[in-house]
Amino acid sequence: MSNTEVLQWAAEADDSLARNEILTDDEIFIRTVAAEDDDYDDDVTPVDPVKISHSDAVAALNTSLQWAKVQNLEAHKIMLLRRLRDRAFQLKIGTAVQKNH
């Protein structure tokens, strides 16, 4: 490589560095995931959401709670499952009351 070529390459590298921002590892990770999500969205064909009854949700969340306890998951995760189960149960009761009126 001649001196002129080396100088030209160095100038291009300096320009490239000046245009690029310095990123932390977290920022690099976030941008990588975001780029992968963008690629993924292009390949996905939208589908109609599956209807799940409130009763089925309560049953699934009860099973999830049992599993979480056996796995000794953290208390905050178990509490989240309980809150979700309780909300599904409230919706189930509310739906039943509306049908009776």
Side-chain angles (χ1 to χ4, degrees):
M1 196 178 253
S2 70
N3 286 342
T4 306
E5 291 172 326
V6 170
L7 290 174
Q8 183 180 1
W9 177 83
E12 289 173 6
D14 286 343
D15 288 345
S16 177
L17 286 174
R19 286 191 306 268
N20 294 326
E21 55 188 305
I22 308 263
L23 301 175
T24 65
D25 288 343
D26 290 339
E27 292 169 327
I28 292 168
F29 175 75
I30 290 168
R31 288 185 183 194
T32 302
V33 170
E36 288 172 359
D37 284 348
D38 289 344
D39 292 342
Y40 178 75
D41 290 342
D42 295 340
D43 299 337
V44 175
T45 305
V47 296
D48 293 330
V50 176
K51 295 279 184 173
I52 299 172
S53 71
H54 300 310
S55 296
D56 288 344
V58 170
L61 288 163
N62 278 329
T63 302
S64 298
L65 269 167
Q66 291 172 354
W67 174 84
K69 289 176 185 176
V70 170
Q71 299 301 316
N72 293 320
L73 292 184
E74 295 90 358
H76 69 276
K77 292 179 180 178
I78 292 173
M79 291 301 296
L80 175 61
L81 288 170
R82 283 187 183 148
R83 277 184 262 159
L84 289 170
R85 188 241 357 236
D86 293 348
R87 180 66 180 138
F89 185 75
Q90 290 171 349
L91 291 169
K92 175 184 170 184
I93 298 300
T95 302
V97 168
Q98 286 177 357
K99 288 181 181 179
N100 290 334
H101 285 322

